[in-house]
Amino acid sequence: MRLGIVRGHVVLNKAVPNLEGTRFLMVEPVTAANLAAGNGVGGGKTLVVADHLAPDRGQMVAFVEGREGANADWPKDAPVDAYCALIVKDVDFPLLPAEHTLPGTEVEA
């Protein structure tokens, strides 16, 4: 499982029947250095991720790749290589500054 930041959405014209209702996100993986800096920058190569959780642009998500990504639709056969498994609310990373809020998780008073 890796962390990434949602940078956009993909719209399909046609899809295989097993993918009907599935959203597709453009996700930029977060490098350890950028996670430690807490700067909201990903730094990895952007990839397309299947999704059923509907995170907003700029939110951090965790995604799985490979066969694990396709298993999210089991027992159906889903032709995907990556799946958004969860929306990240908070990260406890030892090198992350103590006074840090993840982009997209700000709470208005």
Side-chain angles (χ1 to χ4, degrees):
M1 185 174 291
R2 297 197 298 162
L3 297 177
I5 300 172
V6 177
R7 297 299 183 202
H9 299 86
V10 176
V11 178
L12 298 177
N13 188 2
K14 289 186 175 183
V16 297
N18 287 348
L19 292 178
E20 288 181 9
T22 302
R23 293 178 186 89
F24 289 91
L25 308 173
M26 298 295 298
V27 176
E28 180 183 6
V30 178
T31 64
N34 285 333
L35 187 60
N39 56 16
V41 176
K45 184 177 178 183
T46 302
L47 67 151
V48 176
V49 176
D51 169 62
H52 290 104
L53 302 175
D56 289 330
R57 183 175 291 169
Q59 280 190 299
M60 185 175 284
V61 296
F63 62 95
V64 292
E65 297 175 277
R67 188 64 203 153
E68 292 81 9
N71 280 342
D73 285 324
W74 189 84
K76 296 187 298 182
D77 184 27
V80 299
D81 291 327
Y83 183 77
C84 179
L86 58 95
I87 298 173
V88 177
K89 180 180 177 188
D90 194 16
V91 174
D92 183 15
F93 191 66
L95 302 176
L96 192 64
E99 299 296 322
H100 180 263
T101 303
L102 289 173
T105 62
E106 299 85 4
V107 177
E108 294 182 21

